[in-house]
Amino acid sequence: MTNLPPPAEELRFLDAELRQLDVRRATLLRRRAWLVHTLQATAARQPALGPGTAPVGPPAGTGAAARRPEATAPGVQNVLLVLGGVLLTIAAIAFTLVSWGHLGIAGRALVLGALTVGALGAPVALLRRGLRSTAEAVAALGTALTVLDAYALHEVAFPGTDGAGYTATASAVLAALWAVYGVHLGLRHPLPLAVATAHLPLLLGAIAVGAGPYTLTAVSLATAAGGAAVALRAALLPVRIVAVTGALGTGAAGVLSAGWLGWSASGPGPAARAAALLLVAAALALVAGRFVPRPEISVGAAFAAGLCVVAGAGGVLRVTVPGEWTVPGCLACAIALLAAERTRLHHPLRQGLVRASAAVQGFAVLWTLPLVAGCVLGPAVRGAGAWSGTPRDFRDAVFAGLPRPPYAGTAPLVLAVVAAVLVVAGHRTARRPAVTVAAPVLGWAAALVLPVVLQLPYAAGLVAHAVVVAAALFFAVRFGRADKRPSPPSLTALLLALVTSVGLALVSLASEPATIAVLGTLTVLFAAAGLRPGPAPFAAPAALCHATALACAIGASAGRPPHHTALLVLVVPAVAALIASRTGGSRTGGSRTGGSRATVPVEVAGAAAGLLALALAAPEPPMLALVLSLCGAVAAATALRPERRAAGWAAAALFLLATWVRLAAWDVAAPEAYTLPVTGPALIVGLLRRRRDAAVSSWTAYGSGLAVTLVPSLLAAWDDQHWLRPLALGVAALAVTLAGARHRLQAPLVLGPGVLALVALHELTPYLAQVVGALPRWAPPAVAGLVLLVLGATYEQRLRDARRLREALGRLG
């Protein structure tokens, strides 16, 4: 069995094959012309060589290619004929315009008539001799002379006739004469000229009789209809091209004129007449699209027809209904175009009408965009004046400081209707995923702007937007996929819920009770949605963010200073750590579940709340120390989880910062108070690490912990004029040295003796200064020279001792 393609597909295939054959035929004809020219040139040179003599010349492919003519014989012929025709036409025009007055009436008629008759009759004889190109050139001169005849006839016989009327009559007569002349002789150029000229008589005649704009528009549409008919029936390609161009030009002019008349009409009567003209244009486009062989052109014609119908209806609605109902009326007409899907129209026509309906629906949605954007972005302006007072209604709360879009009363209806159309059409379209995303967005937009349009009371508007958030979260939970990433509709609903919640929270800032109630409600809603694994990565962090804002609002409502509110905000990081501990680390089949996907967003939200608490407590150092310690406790609790061991470093840093801030608040200036809290834990950690891994170096285990205290204390002791710090530092350095010697550790044996030596040097510095001052001036150079001599004498021995000391230190831990 052979699978035959549909008729439309087979027709497209045949058209493509025919176009390829035409291209191939043109190529072969050009090749044939070149071969004929080459053979003629060869035959012309052959007698000169003599009979039986072979031509002598360069090898084939070298000189022959160089002597190949650059222009073909038909091309040269066409150039000469066209140039001759143009020159004769220019001469005829010059004679008519310049030399006309030097002849009498008889001479004028005789000369111009003789030229015209001769130019129009000569192609008959030329065609009999087979000179078609020459006949075309001479006939072109004759057609140009007929135009000059018409001009001369007006100047001589009808000088007082109206120019537009005479031109209309002359163009009609010339079009008919050229058409008959071209058909009778079989010439090519008169028919396209006749078709182009045939577009003028009706328009020029209407202008001549003083027709109004409606009549001129109707005449333009009638001319377009005639051009379309010729384009559909003509067999010659040039005729079709001219007819299509003229039909499109006059049709577009008529449609634009009718549309302008409809949308600028001052009453129902003029608008109805313009609508009738647009309906006529739509009918013409549908008829033309039905008989056009190419489907894409049929789709475009039906698309234009659908737009004409809607534009006509919109012009009538503009003057018969209130302004805000014009767009809904146009939308209703666009939806009515969808009924074409259930008719027996040609498939491309149905497709074009459906696309026109979709385009009008898109324009209707764009018309509502300013109102939707104002509802989303307007609350940000209200946020600058928190608790400034309850607005009069919800529209004032949303559009505080922003201009209000006009004619926006029907915007919710437009959005809801388009959403309903998408839902109904989504079952029959191949773009169902896009429809399942666009329809909820439009429905959300309708619900968002409805309280603003109805000018509900402030509290009722807040409740309405809270219901929108709850509905979006319910949709996300209902259509979410368990243990998988959210589906596109579910993800869209989550994002819409987040956007609405932010706007609702900002709008609620106008009133103190409303702020606390709204933030509490949003926290509960998102927390409930976060219990499901699908929405959890989005809903749980949103709940924590709203809870953070709620804590700040409660603190401000209670009249507490910001550093006290920081303690209340710290509840959020604690809750986040608890939630993360219950959801983190769970896996199913090697892939993360919804709970584990929510772990990182929850921890990020908790960390952000902790940073906010630190910022609130920063002006008060004692409270900042307490907040730092509480944040450290939360981080330490997080570090108990196996996959979050690294949080222990953050906990240690927070505890250390808390200690330092507390000491700074107590005006403690001793560096040991800041360094010892670091040294103790660092040495304990180093000890535990060396117990687990004996290969760990003493520098890695104890070096940083010892240096944190010994180095700052040494710097402080160097400028200290008292004896207590140097004594305590020396004792500590001695203890470190003895411990290093006892356990044979390199780091304590280097740091302890070094600090001890520097402390001793610091203590002996006054006495050394006195001794140096008592010695004569030649003593220090003499002592230095003696030392250098001794060192030089025992250089090799000292190097050997140094190598032994290095090796001994290397054998230590």
Side-chain angles (χ1 to χ4, degrees):
M1 296 297 291
T2 302
N3 294 326
L4 294 177
E9 186 66 26
E10 186 175 2
L11 179 60
R12 285 195 295 271
F13 177 76
L14 292 177
D15 290 339
E17 292 293 332
L18 290 174
R19 285 194 295 271
Q20 293 179 1
L21 289 176
D22 291 338
V23 173
R24 181 59 178 168
R25 183 174 183 274
T27 303
L28 294 176
L29 287 175
R30 288 194 298 271
R31 181 63 179 174
R32 181 183 181 277
W34 181 83
L35 291 174
V36 170
H37 176 77
T38 303
L39 292 175
Q40 291 175 352
T42 303
R45 293 194 302 268
Q46 191 69 25
L49 297 176
T53 304
V56 179
T62 59
R67 292 192 300 270
R68 180 177 298 175
E70 297 181 356
T72 62
V76 175
Q77 168 189 306
N78 293 334
V79 170
L80 294 176
L81 291 176
V82 171
L83 180 60
V86 170
L87 292 177
L88 288 175
T89 303
I90 294 174
I93 294 173
F95 168 75
T96 304
L97 297 179
V98 178
S99 301
W100 183 259
H102 300 288
L103 299 177
I105 297 178
R108 301 171 189 173
L110 180 61
V111 172
L112 197 56
L115 289 176
T116 304
V117 172
L120 294 177
V124 177
L126 293 173
L127 289 173
R128 289 176 182 176
R129 298 175 63 87
L131 303 176
R132 175 169 293 275
S133 299
T134 306
E136 290 282 354
V138 176
L141 174 62
T143 54
L145 289 175
T146 56
V147 178
L148 297 178
D149 290 336
Y151 168 75
L153 184 62
H154 177 268
E155 293 296 324
V156 174
F158 308 102
T161 308
D162 178 60
Y166 180 81
T167 305
T169 304
S171 60
V173 173
L174 289 176
L177 290 177
W178 292 344
V180 173
Y181 181 71
V183 172
H184 180 70
L185 296 182
L187 298 175
R188 292 185 177 182
H189 82 277
L191 289 179
L193 289 177
V195 172
T197 308
H199 288 80
L200 300 177
L202 288 179
L203 289 174
L204 294 176
I207 295 173
V209 299
Y214 291 93
T215 304
L216 289 176
T217 303
V219 169
S220 297
L221 295 177
T223 304
V230 174
L232 293 174
R233 300 292 297 176
L236 297 177
L237 180 60
V239 175
R240 289 202 303 270
I241 292 175
V242 173
V244 168
T245 304
L248 290 178
T250 54
V255 168
L256 293 176
S257 176
W260 178 80
L261 292 173
W263 285 89
S264 61
S266 58
R273 289 196 295 271
L277 292 174
L278 288 172
L279 291 178
V280 171
L284 293 176
L286 289 176
V287 172
R290 175 62 182 86
F291 295 101
V292 172
R294 299 182 63 178
E296 57 271 17
I297 299 179
S298 298
V299 172
F303 179 81
L307 294 182
C308 288
V309 171
V310 176
V316 175
L317 291 172
R318 191 188 65 83
V319 295
T320 56
V321 299
E324 60 187 8
W325 287 97
T326 302
V327 174
C330 294
L331 179 61
C333 295
I335 295 173
L337 292 178
L338 296 176
E341 277 287 341
R342 300 185 178 275
T343 62
R344 295 184 178 181
L345 284 174
H346 195 44
H347 177 69
L349 297 181
R350 298 200 304 268
Q351 189 176 4
L353 291 176
V354 170
R355 291 185 179 181
S357 175
V360 175
Q361 294 180 53
F363 284 123
V365 172
L366 290 178
W367 173 73
T368 66
L369 191 59
L371 179 62
V372 177
C375 291
V376 173
L377 303 177
V381 179
R382 168 65 67 179
W387 296 352
S388 57
T390 304
R392 292 182 303 173
D393 52 42
F394 195 68
R395 188 177 68 176
D396 290 339
V398 172
F399 281 92
L402 292 178
R404 300 169 185 174
Y407 303 119
T410 55
L413 177 62
V414 170
L415 293 169
V417 169
V418 176
V421 171
L422 288 177
V423 171
V424 174
H427 300 285
R428 301 192 303 269
T429 181
R431 300 178 180 178
R432 187 172 182 179
V435 170
T436 57
V437 172
V441 171
L442 294 176
W444 163 81
L448 186 71
V449 302
L450 183 61
V452 176
V453 171
L454 297 179
Q455 298 185 18
L456 295 179
Y458 178 65
L462 294 177
V463 172
H465 275 199
V467 172
V468 172
V469 175
L473 291 176
F474 175 78
F475 186 87
V477 172
R478 176 66 177 80
F479 293 94
R481 296 177 295 190
D483 299 333
K484 294 182 181 180
R485 296 184 181 277
S487 61
S490 178
L491 181 60
T492 302
L494 283 172
L495 295 178
L496 295 178
L498 291 173
V499 172
T500 310
S501 66
V502 172
L504 179 59
L506 292 175
V507 172
S508 67
L509 291 178
S511 173
E512 178 179 346
T515 301
I516 296 176
V518 166
L519 291 176
T521 303
L522 293 177
T523 302
V524 172
L525 289 176
F526 280 98
L531 298 177
R532 300 295 296 270
F538 299 89
L544 294 175
C545 292
H546 289 302
T548 303
L550 177 62
C552 295
I554 292 175
S557 178
R560 308 305 301 173
H563 58 275
H564 288 171
T565 305
L567 297 176
L568 189 59
V569 173
L570 282 178
V571 176
V572 177
V575 174
L578 179 62
I579 296 174
S581 65
R582 293 181 176 273
T583 59
S586 59
R587 294 178 180 269
T588 302
S591 62
R592 287 187 176 273
T593 63
S596 61
R597 289 199 309 270
T599 302
V600 174
V602 166
E603 291 175 342
V604 171
L611 291 177
L612 177 61
L614 293 176
L616 293 174
E620 292 292 330
M623 186 60 68
L624 178 60
L626 177 59
V627 172
L628 285 170
S629 62
L630 293 177
C631 291
V634 174
T638 303
L640 297 177
R641 293 157 48 197
E643 72 277 8
R644 290 291 185 266
R645 296 301 188 194
W649 296 102
L654 290 171
F655 283 130
L656 178 62
L657 289 175
T659 303
W660 286 355
V661 171
R662 183 71 264 181
L663 293 174
W666 287 337
D667 295 330
V668 176
E672 292 80 8
Y674 296 91
T675 57
L676 287 177
V678 181
T679 297
L683 293 178
I684 294 174
V685 171
L687 177 62
L688 296 177
R689 187 173 181 182
R690 278 184 61 85
R691 284 184 178 180
R692 289 196 304 266
D693 186 3
V696 176
S697 171
S698 62
W699 287 104
T700 304
Y702 307 117
S704 59
L706 294 174
V708 166
T709 295
L710 293 178
V711 174
S713 297
L714 179 61
L715 296 176
W718 199 262
D719 292 332
D720 196 348
Q721 303 300 325
H722 304 282
W723 58 272
L724 182 58
R725 176 176 280 112
L727 177 61
L729 182 59
V731 172
L734 180 60
V736 170
T737 302
L738 295 177
R742 171 69 178 80
H743 298 284
R744 302 183 63 187
L745 298 176
Q746 189 179 72
L749 282 178
V750 172
L751 293 176
V755 173
L756 184 59
L758 291 175
V759 171
L761 180 62
H762 172 266
E763 294 301 317
L764 294 176
T765 299
Y767 303 102
L768 293 176
Q770 293 177 3
V771 171
V772 171
L775 291 175
R777 293 181 178 273
W778 54 266
V783 172
L786 181 62
V787 171
L788 290 176
L789 288 175
V790 173
L791 289 176
T794 59
Y795 181 72
E796 184 178 1
Q797 181 66 32
R798 299 307 178 191
L799 287 178
R800 185 166 56 251
D801 294 341
R803 283 195 296 269
R804 290 177 180 177
L805 178 61
R806 185 180 61 186
E807 293 174 357
L809 290 176
R811 289 192 296 270
L812 297 177

